[in-house]
Amino acid sequence: IGMALREGVIQKEFRLHYQPIVSLQTGRVAGYEALLRWYTPNQGILNPDDFMYAIDTANLIYSTDHWVLQNACRQAVEWQNKFSSTPPLYISVNLSAKNIKHPNLVDNIYQVLQETKLDPRKLCLEITEKTSAPNDESTIEVLRKLRSIGIQISLDDFGTGYSALNYLAQFPVDVLKIDQSFIKMIGKKDGSNQIVEMIKALATHLGIIVVAEGVEKVEQMEFLKSINCEYAQGYFYSKPLDARSTTELLKKGYQWEQG
Ligand code: C2E
Ligand code: MG
Ligand code: MG
């Protein structure tokens, strides 16, 4: 995989899939998360877990995330123009924590927003805490800059990594994504419901919106709704789909049944 990775591959063989993020209150799609796929000539479609490491090793993580940002923003504007909704759809893009340290990050993001004409308030950047705790001063400074123009910052996979509760309060974040591992345990293991409920309560106190990841079952959706969790994402609603199938879904204006 590493051998096959060259800058040109990104343009030619990378595609984005999109997974809806659904409002638990209305059952309607509020936004989409862009998820990277590699359409290889020989090995079929690969998921990020199969090749992110190679991308990192090949020093392509910055160009990859930049490519994703450009394409996701362009696609979001296209959908916003074609399918108007109130509020307009937002797009969520994953950003490797490493890239926050890149000297051109902020300028490049501004540039993409200008080029694509996406409203910054309709862009959400997801930062995972799996790899590193993004809690040093320089990171916080960058996130503050991005937020000052209206970009939303989301903490991905919350609860799995280095997320000490003490830095949540000082970390400039708008959205918290509760990791799938907690959602899977809803209704199964003693204490899991309470942990999810506790995370939601904490977020509410801090003025942070919650997205539940990996929602697969109606019981999970119902529990999340009962604790006033704002958004949910997972196979219960839809798997990540390619741009064409997502467009079809938007055309139908689908609304999910609410428990
Ligand atoms: P993530 O950002 O936490 O994305 C959620 C992952 O969970 C996605 O896997 C998605 O397909 C999967 N998923 C969604 N709903 C369900 C469900 O109901 N059940 C289960 N079992 N899985 C579900 P995916 O697409 O393989 O991506 C894996 C990770 O790779 C992402 O986790 C993200 O950290 C990273 N990633 C994806 N795209 C990008 C990208 O463009 N840039 C960077 N830096 N990282 C990316
Ligand atoms: Mg994510
Ligand atoms: Mg996640």
Side-chain angles (χ1 to χ4, degrees), residues 138-154:
S138 62
T139 298
I140 288 176
E141 184 58 37
V142 170
L143 298 184
R144 283 217 179 96
K145 263 191 207 152
L146 295 172
R147 276 182 100 202
S148 73
I149 63 154
I151 295 171
Q152 311 261 327
I153 302 296
S154 171

Side-chain angles (χ1 to χ4, degrees), residues 116-217:
T116 59
K117 302 194 171 62
L118 180 70
D119 178 349
R121 291 167 301 182
K122 293 295 146 190
L123 174 63
C124 180
L125 294 173
E126 299 192 5
I127 296 148
T128 182
E129 50 152 19
K130 244 182 226 163
T131 38
S132 64
N135 61 348
D136 56 282
E137 265 315 307
S138 62
T139 298
I140 288 176
E141 184 58 37
V142 170
L143 298 184
R144 283 217 179 96
K145 263 191 207 152
L146 295 172
R147 276 182 100 202
S148 73
I149 63 154
I151 295 171
Q152 311 261 327
I153 302 296
S154 171
L155 205 49
D156 208 346
D157 309 314
F158 184 78
T160 56
Y162 296 80
S163 64
L165 293 177
N166 62 359
Y167 87 68
L168 194 59
Q170 48 146 6
F171 193 70
V173 61
D174 304 280
V175 180
L176 199 150
K177 294 187 88 169
I178 303 181
D179 190 66
Q180 314 191 359
S181 53
F182 297 105
I183 308 305
K184 279 208 176 67
M185 298 313 286
I186 287 174
K188 276 192 185 156
K189 206 172 99 184
D190 273 359
S192 286
N193 293 33
Q194 283 80 357
I195 289 172
V196 173
E197 205 173 343
M198 192 272 301
I199 295 175
K200 168 61 184 138
L202 178 67
T204 303
H205 279 299
L206 296 170
I208 298 171
I209 283 172
V210 169
V211 179
E213 292 192 290
V215 177
E216 293 183 353
K217 300 194 170 116

Side-chain angles (χ1 to χ4, degrees), residues 66 69-74 77 80-81 91 104-123 146 149 151:
H66 185 69
L69 183 73
Q70 275 178 320
N71 285 275
C73 290
R74 200 178 294 145
V77 171
Q80 284 176 352
N81 292 338
I91 188 80
N104 301 338
L105 180 78
V106 175
D107 285 347
N108 285 346
I109 292 175
Y110 288 175
Q111 202 186 335
V112 170
L113 287 169
Q114 265 171 0
E115 279 167 11
T116 59
K117 302 194 171 62
L118 180 70
D119 178 349
R121 291 167 301 182
K122 293 295 146 190
L123 174 63
L146 295 172
I149 63 154
I151 295 171

